[in-house]
Amino acid sequence: MGILERAMNNGMKALKAGVDKRFDSLEERLDELEQKLEYQQNCTQDNVKREKVPKLLSAKIREIHTKSDSEELQYQAGPNDRFHSAHNDEVTAHIATTIQDSTDEYSERLIRVACARYFEHIHRVQREQVLQPEKAEQACLKRKLKSRRDRLFKTRVKYLKESEKDFWQGSTDFLMSDEEDGINGKLVVHSVSTQRSQQLNELIQILDARRNEANPQQIRKLRTMGEPSTRVLPKTLDGKHLCPSPQDRSRSPSPSNQERERSTSPSSEKSGKRRRVRMPSFSDDELSS
């Protein structure tokens, strides 16, 4: 009877641990949904439909926030923090006042929207770092690489000629190279996808040369080639921009059995004589030219 009770107790403990783990996961998901709902409600209250925030304004907010030495002027963006808290409202007011004192280009409403999006960014990053540190680091690197590929793609489009636009059509930022930071933070490691076609590689080299010629001051000197990128590309990409896969190469037409049989004539097999190949004749003038 004692063994049965111990087994039942162990089973109940295991079941409780599983339920607790599942409950924690659901609670985290609920918090995340509450954050999104609160943000959407705030945007609705401000009569904003996902308004596009100028990049310069986002950069100003990030600069003001990161350069603040006092924690009282920085957002509290932990897993359980909200954008509309007493502390964070003071930080938003400080950022808005600082920007409006330097320029009247942006309205207070637009500044508040930009602050809310910046808060969502740092809130997501800190939440990932607390809950899943390794996954957060990978996600951060993934976002950085995608941002750089998108920048490369948009920059190269500017230097396309009319005759090159037909071939370029259908390409996306997925086809751009990965650019990672080196050890010292200044060296850029450039990794080209192994699945990109040679014709697209040559066109990209031409576009980069045009960009460097037009903007020589922006040429990156500390740049090196890294290992080829093995990042898996989407299957929806245009095939003209990709190298043929090993399966496609294996399906390439090969000599059939009939063609092999024609290569050896029956008469030559019976007589044992080799087929003679007539070489073209050249005159002395042609040989000397």
Side-chain angles (χ1 to χ4, degrees):
M1 191 64 179
I3 297 177
L4 181 60
E5 289 181 354
R6 285 196 297 270
M8 291 179 63
N9 291 335
N10 292 335
M12 291 297 294
K13 290 180 180 179
L15 180 62
K16 184 178 181 300
V19 172
D20 290 343
K21 184 176 181 181
R22 181 63 177 170
F23 180 78
D24 292 340
S25 177
L26 292 174
E27 193 176 25
E28 293 172 2
R29 179 60 178 165
L30 181 61
D31 290 340
E32 183 178 354
L33 292 174
E34 288 178 353
Q35 288 276 358
K36 292 182 179 180
L37 180 61
E38 181 183 1
Y39 176 71
Q40 292 174 357
Q41 290 175 347
N42 293 333
C43 290
T44 303
Q45 292 171 1
D46 293 337
N47 196 20
V48 179
K49 295 183 179 179
R50 202 62 186 172
E51 187 174 353
K52 185 176 181 181
V53 177
K55 293 184 178 180
L56 184 58
L57 176 58
S58 299
K60 284 180 176 293
I61 292 175
R62 183 171 59 252
E63 181 182 4
I64 295 172
H65 186 268
T66 54
K67 287 186 176 181
S68 299
D69 297 330
S70 175
E71 294 183 357
E72 296 180 356
L73 299 178
Q74 293 183 350
Y75 283 121
Q76 294 178 350
N80 299 322
D81 291 318
R82 300 288 186 269
F83 176 63
H84 282 295
S85 65
H87 173 84
N88 290 336
D89 285 343
E90 292 181 1
V91 176
T92 302
H94 166 71
I95 294 175
T97 302
T98 304
I99 294 177
Q100 289 178 331
D101 288 344
S102 61
T103 179
D104 57 356
E105 184 178 355
Y106 311 110
S107 64
E108 183 178 357
R109 177 181 57 81
L110 183 59
I111 295 175
R112 288 177 58 83
V113 172
C115 288
R117 294 186 188 173
Y118 180 69
F119 171 84
E120 288 297 322
H121 166 69
I122 59 179
H123 173 79
R124 181 179 65 252
V125 172
Q126 293 187 16
R127 182 183 180 86
E128 291 174 350
Q129 290 176 348
V130 172
L131 299 178
Q132 297 174 324
E134 295 181 358
K135 187 177 180 180
E137 185 177 356
Q138 294 176 358
C140 181
L141 177 60
K142 187 177 180 180
R143 287 193 296 267
K144 182 185 295 184
L145 292 178
K146 176 168 176 46
S147 176
R148 293 179 177 180
R149 288 196 305 268
D150 182 67
R151 174 181 50 79
L152 277 175
F153 178 78
K154 292 179 179 179
T155 302
R156 286 164 174 164
V157 169
K158 299 178 183 178
Y159 298 94
L160 281 170
K161 293 184 178 180
E162 289 296 330
S163 58
E164 300 165 341
K165 289 182 178 180
D166 288 339
F167 176 77
W168 184 266
Q169 187 176 7
S171 62
T172 66
D173 60 292
F174 286 104
L175 291 166
M176 302 299 104
S177 305
D178 290 331
E179 290 187 346
E180 299 185 42
D181 295 329
I183 299 176
N184 57 4
K186 298 181 179 180
L187 183 68
V188 178
V189 182
H190 187 71
S191 301
V192 180
S193 174
T194 56
Q195 305 176 58
R196 208 165 66 184
S197 67
Q198 181 62 27
Q199 188 175 359
L200 181 59
N201 287 335
E202 293 174 355
L203 177 57
I204 287 177
Q205 291 177 0
I206 293 173
L207 297 177
D208 288 346
R210 292 173 187 165
R211 179 190 61 180
N212 294 337
E213 184 178 357
N215 304 286
Q217 70 279 5
Q218 296 182 359
I219 298 178
R220 295 186 176 182
K221 298 180 180 180
L222 300 176
R223 187 169 182 164
T224 183
M225 293 296 295
E227 294 293 330
S229 174
T230 57
R231 174 169 45 85
V232 179
L233 300 179
K235 296 181 180 179
T236 56
L237 294 176
D238 198 326
K240 65 184 177 182
H241 298 136
L242 304 176
C243 291
S245 62
Q247 292 82 0
D248 295 334
R249 289 194 291 267
S250 64
R251 297 193 194 104
S252 60
S254 57
S256 62
N257 294 332
Q258 294 180 355
E259 292 174 344
R260 294 193 189 95
E261 291 174 359
R262 294 195 197 101
S263 62
T264 307
S265 62
S267 59
S268 62
E269 290 178 356
K270 292 179 181 179
S271 60
K273 296 180 180 180
R274 296 182 178 177
R275 298 177 61 186
R276 294 182 179 180
V277 180
R278 298 186 63 181
M279 300 297 293
S281 59
F282 299 94
S283 62
D284 294 339
D285 295 338
E286 291 175 329
L287 292 174
S288 60
S289 60

